[in-house]
Amino acid sequence: AGRCRPPLTVLQKSPRQRIISAIQRLTWRDHRLRENLLRFINWLRFINLLSAAAVFGLALAHALEIPGKRGLDSTQWLAVQQSFYGGFALIGGLAEVLGLVTSLLLLLPLRKRPRALVQTVIGALCFLGMLLIYFFVNRPINSRIASWTPTTIPDDWTFYRNLWDYAHLGTTLLATVAIVLLLLAALMPDAPREVQQPAAQDASTSR
């Protein structure tokens, strides 16, 4: 008599009702899981687009300043190179890495949206290309220029200036392609395949 008994409503539930209750609990948990996953994907997309915008802005700034810097003599150009671009490398490098990582992470949830998937893959390749340009072109030039002084600047300094400028023009092109395609993937997504197939079946049955 002193034992605790389950509530009467639990004892009165039939096996079918218990199965339905279990399914409802699983459905609720699945719904919460989907909400959390969608929230995570939205944050990934936000960081991805923010990174693309930051890289594009910095690269465009480099490209727009090239005509003006062509009018500088060797001493003026060296002073600009050694004093203006510390923050560019830090913020730009971080944005390129974040852009590449988030693009790769977005490939899995986009696997059923072929157009957005291709756009994001190309965006990831653009981020990779920008990183390769930096590590194999811009960074070696920056290291070389850092040791120059107005009295030790070499006679062929214009070769390094031109190579540095052309590398940044290439980065600007890749950054433009990346931000355009990633914006299209986010704002104009194609319908998932499982949504397109029933629509096609409805169209065929209505004929």
Side-chain angles (χ1 to χ4, degrees):
R3 294 181 182 179
C4 295
R5 295 183 178 181
L8 185 59
T9 54
V10 176
L11 295 175
Q12 291 177 343
K13 281 187 176 181
S14 65
R16 181 174 178 273
Q17 290 174 329
R18 294 177 184 177
I19 293 174
I20 293 175
S21 298
I23 293 175
Q24 289 175 344
R25 288 193 297 270
L26 291 175
T27 303
W28 180 81
R29 292 175 184 174
D30 183 64
H31 179 69
R32 291 296 301 272
L33 179 62
R34 287 176 179 271
E35 284 185 344
N36 292 333
L37 181 60
L38 181 60
R39 189 177 296 111
F40 176 70
I41 293 173
N42 288 337
W43 273 107
L44 280 181
R45 179 65 73 187
F46 172 76
I47 297 172
N48 183 251
L49 293 176
L50 184 63
S51 301
V55 172
F56 173 73
L58 295 175
L60 184 61
H62 279 304
L64 292 177
E65 69 188 11
I66 289 175
K69 289 174 62 179
R70 289 302 175 98
L72 302 177
D73 60 29
S74 60
T75 303
Q76 294 170 332
W77 180 82
L78 181 62
V80 170
Q81 291 298 118
Q82 292 181 343
S83 58
F84 282 5
Y85 298 116
F88 276 69
L90 177 62
I91 297 175
L94 179 61
E96 288 170 2
V97 172
L98 283 176
L100 175 60
V101 172
T102 52
S103 295
L104 295 176
L105 290 176
L106 285 168
L107 296 181
L108 183 60
L110 292 176
R111 66 190 185 279
K112 295 182 179 180
R113 290 167 47 193
R115 185 173 61 187
L117 178 65
V118 171
Q119 291 167 340
T120 305
V121 167
I122 298 175
L125 292 176
C126 288
F127 283 118
L128 178 61
M130 287 183 273
L131 287 168
L132 292 176
I133 289 175
Y134 171 73
F135 280 106
F136 288 100
V137 182
N138 292 118
R139 187 175 182 181
I141 294 177
N142 291 339
S143 300
R144 182 182 294 268
I145 293 173
S147 63
W148 292 354
T149 67
T151 57
T152 62
I153 187 170
D155 295 334
D156 62 344
W157 68 275
T158 55
F159 168 79
Y160 296 98
R161 179 198 65 185
N162 294 339
L163 184 58
W164 195 88
D165 290 344
Y166 294 147
H168 279 93
L169 287 175
T171 298
T172 304
L173 177 61
L174 292 175
T176 303
V177 174
I179 192 170
V180 169
L181 291 180
L182 293 174
L183 280 172
L184 290 175
L187 301 178
M188 301 176 61
D190 47 350
R193 291 177 181 175
E194 64 265 20
V195 174
Q196 292 177 344
Q197 290 176 353
Q201 292 175 359
D202 293 340
S204 61
T205 54
S206 61
R207 293 178 180 176

